[in-house]
Amino acid sequence: MSRKISRLSLILAAAAIATAFVIIHKAIPKPQPLKGPRIYLNDTLKNEMSEIEELAGLDKKVTSFMRQWHIKGASLSIMRNDSLLYSKGYGWADEAEEVKMEPRHILRMASVSKLITAVGIMVLQERDSLSIKDTVFGPSGILNDSLFNKLIKDKNYHKITVEHLLRHQGGFRRDPLFSSRDVMHQLSLDHAPTAEDFYKVVLNRRLKFAPGTWQSYSNFGYLLLSKVIEKVSGMPYEEFIRNEVLAPAGCYDMHIAGTYYEDRKDNEVRYYTHEGDGKYIEEYNNSNVIVERCYGGNNIPMLSGAGAWCGSPAEIARFVASIDGRPEVPDIISKESVELMTGYYDRDTFSLGWNDTHPDKGWSRSGTLAGTTALVKLFPDGECWVFISNTSTWKGPRQATYTDALFRSLRQSYSGKLPQRDMFNPENLWIQM
């Protein structure tokens, strides 16, 4: 979907960002490992810790929501002021194996991955390794390799900045990451498309609009950001993010997910696709094999920083606590970077990594893949709700609207009944009376 950005909004946004950039574009030491022994959050949490009599009604409403949308399993974590108050699984992690969902289970988070990638860019900016004002292509661009120089004919590409990619303002005509079979036909490939193949089908076309003047949601832009991170850091994307972003945040069980059931991690769930979501499809590599869409419909690792990460809602909450500007959990980015990521200009301007950061509505980040629906919502009062299911619905990306409505309903009835504790701290796992 493409939305026009007003001229006034662009001027104000540019001025605000320029001011913030002057403040934060200084060499800042890399995030330091957390002091003390590592706390593997997914190993400490169990459903029984959140089986609280006063919250039985909350559990019933979540279960009812799952029945309504034919969701096999889901996981919910609730954090307030950087303290994890509630974390519980519902339904099946793997119905065939009779494994019930627990907080320890990890799930594909789809486009919530973009938030992680955006923080990786902020970390590199704080190290003075790049600036979001840097151009991506051209002689002085970050991706000035011969491959990119050979593909690009439209000089307007040389105007694309890192910030344009973060805000979906690059101007690309295509977003082919979920069209592998079409790309294979177009390029007459006898193999599944590589990242270089996706570059070829996008970068040799003229831009749809001048960078920074409009916006159109682009997974391809975040694939490029993953490449930017690799080029600048000198490390594979996943290695850099796990070591330099997630570990300093106290998140040790997030991974780039696999494509097939056989590729799952030890504590990863099974995914399910609803019939209304087009359950069966030809395999992404043109093998002529019909697969369930969530297992072979797309090349998941190829999504990289646009949508390939998997993790638990509890660790995602921990990650949010590390980038929210609150003092209780030390942030891995500066206050200025937090403000830059969450600065709100108007409803037609994407925030950096987040979908929306309206000051009256809170910060939100959603994600959808075949077999997955996810929503992260940090409300203005400091309460953060993270919900991920292992089942996609026929609503696709619009499912986040219904999950958001569920959050608001549950908060109204049960926010005041949540236990006063912090399950991020192993010495404070249980309710403090």
Side-chain angles (χ1 to χ4, degrees):
M1 179 177 67
S2 186
R3 298 180 289 183
K4 192 169 185 179
I5 303 172
S6 67
R7 183 179 181 85
L8 178 60
S9 298
L10 284 174
I11 294 172
L12 292 174
I17 292 170
T19 300
F21 172 70
V22 170
I23 296 173
I24 69 172
H25 190 54
K26 299 177 181 178
I28 298 177
K30 62 187 294 187
Q32 296 300 308
L34 296 175
K35 295 181 180 179
R38 283 189 172 187
I39 301 170
Y40 292 87
L41 190 58
N42 291 347
D43 292 339
T44 69
L45 301 175
K46 299 181 184 299
N47 276 342
E48 63 190 56
M49 296 176 179
S50 294
E51 291 175 352
I52 300 166
E53 183 177 355
E54 291 82 356
L55 299 178
L58 181 152
D59 294 339
K60 289 181 180 179
K61 286 191 174 184
V62 172
T63 302
S64 177
F65 179 83
M66 292 169 60
R67 277 198 306 269
Q68 176 186 359
W69 295 106
H70 300 183
I71 293 172
K72 294 281 190 179
S75 187
L76 171 67
S77 287
I78 306 171
M79 176 178 72
R80 183 189 294 144
N81 299 337
D82 286 2
S83 293
L84 185 64
L85 310 182
Y86 184 93
S87 191
K88 192 172 183 181
Y90 298 86
W92 297 107
D94 191 327
E95 187 176 33
E97 297 296 327
E98 298 186 341
V99 178
K100 292 184 177 181
M101 187 75 77
E102 289 274 351
R104 69 181 180 84
H105 285 111
I106 60 176
L107 305 92
R108 295 174 184 166
M109 64 183 77
S111 284
V112 175
S113 303
K114 292 180 175 67
L115 181 59
I116 296 173
T117 300
V119 173
I121 293 292
M122 292 296 106
V123 168
L124 288 171
Q125 177 165 267
E126 292 192 1
R127 296 183 188 179
D128 211 21
S129 298
L130 59 71
S131 160
I132 63 169
K133 296 298 185 183
D134 288 343
T135 54
V136 177
F137 303 111
S140 59
I142 296 172
L143 302 181
N144 58 3
D145 311 61
S146 59
L147 169 65
F148 297 101
N149 293 335
K150 181 179 179 180
L151 288 173
I152 293 172
K153 303 293 188 275
D154 182 355
K155 298 302 182 184
N156 280 322
Y157 276 91
H158 297 178
K159 301 175 184 177
I160 297 174
T161 66
V162 173
E163 182 181 358
H164 290 149
L165 298 183
L166 289 166
R167 295 191 189 277
H168 304 277
Q169 296 174 1
F172 307 113
R173 285 190 175 274
R174 290 195 62 184
D175 192 13
L177 297 193
F178 293 99
S179 304
S180 292
R181 294 174 61 231
D182 291 341
V183 171
M184 290 181 68
H185 286 306
Q186 182 178 340
L187 298 181
S188 299
L189 301 176
D190 60 1
H191 59 268
T194 63
E196 289 74 14
D197 294 322
F198 287 122
Y199 302 153
K200 290 176 183 178
V201 299
V202 176
L203 300 180
N204 62 3
R205 298 183 173 208
R206 295 182 65 84
L207 289 176
K208 186 176 182 180
F209 54 83
T213 60
W214 289 60
Q215 64 182 23
S216 181
Y217 193 87
S218 177
N219 293 289
F220 179 75
Y222 273 75
L223 178 67
L224 289 173
L225 286 170
S226 306
K227 183 67 174 178
V228 165
I229 288 174
E230 290 189 339
K231 178 71 178 293
V232 172
S233 70
M235 301 168 63
Y237 167 79
E238 182 178 10
E239 181 182 347
F240 175 82
I241 293 294
R242 282 174 57 84
N243 293 341
E244 308 299 327
V245 176
L246 296 175
C251 302
Y252 306 113
D253 196 16
M254 291 188 185
H255 314 270
I256 294 294
T259 295
Y260 301 101
Y261 180 71
E262 294 75 18
D263 299 329
R264 70 194 186 284
K265 306 301 179 184
D266 289 342
N267 58 329
E268 189 175 358
V269 301
R270 177 188 286 269
Y271 302 100
Y272 302 89
T273 312
H274 188 271
E275 294 285 356
D277 191 34
K279 185 168 185 176
Y280 297 103
I281 191 175
E282 187 175 339
E283 197 172 13
Y284 77 93
N285 56 9
N286 276 335
S287 66
N288 294 319
V289 174
I290 300 301
V291 297
E292 187 171 356
R293 184 183 291 269
C294 58
Y295 286 120
N298 294 294
N299 184 349
I300 300 300
M302 183 56 63
L303 299 176
S304 191
W309 285 98
C310 64
S312 69
E315 281 210 332
I316 293 173
R318 175 75 195 198
F319 181 69
V320 172
S322 302
I323 61 168
D324 63 359
R326 296 193 61 87
E328 293 87 352
V329 170
D331 285 348
I332 62 171
I333 54 177
S334 68
K335 176 182 177 181
E336 292 77 18
S337 288
V338 174
E339 292 174 351
L340 187 59
M341 289 187 67
T342 59
Y344 180 80
Y345 303 112
D346 56 48
R347 64 184 297 273
D348 295 323
T349 306
F350 280 110
S351 301
L352 305 186
W354 295 94
N355 287 111
D356 187 31
T357 53
H358 193 289
D360 296 331
K361 298 179 180 178
W363 307 347
S364 62
R365 178 67 256 182
S366 61
T368 306
L369 280 174
T372 305
T373 61
L375 179 63
V376 179
K377 186 69 176 280
L378 178 59
F379 292 90
D381 63 3
E383 203 166 271
C384 179
W385 290 56
V386 184
F387 179 92
I388 310 181
S389 76
N390 64 355
T391 313
S392 52
T393 76
W394 60 94
K395 289 293 185 179
R398 291 175 294 168
Q399 184 64 33
T401 302
Y402 299 92
T403 306
D404 185 76
L406 174 68
F407 285 176
R408 287 184 276 111
S409 173
L410 293 176
R411 271 168 48 84
Q412 186 174 11
S413 300
Y414 300 103
S415 182
K417 299 179 181 179
L418 291 168
Q420 298 300 310
R421 59 178 176 181
D422 183 11
M423 295 194 294
F424 287 144
N425 185 343
E427 296 178 357
N428 191 11
L429 293 175
W430 297 93
I431 299 174
Q432 299 299 300
M433 304 303 292

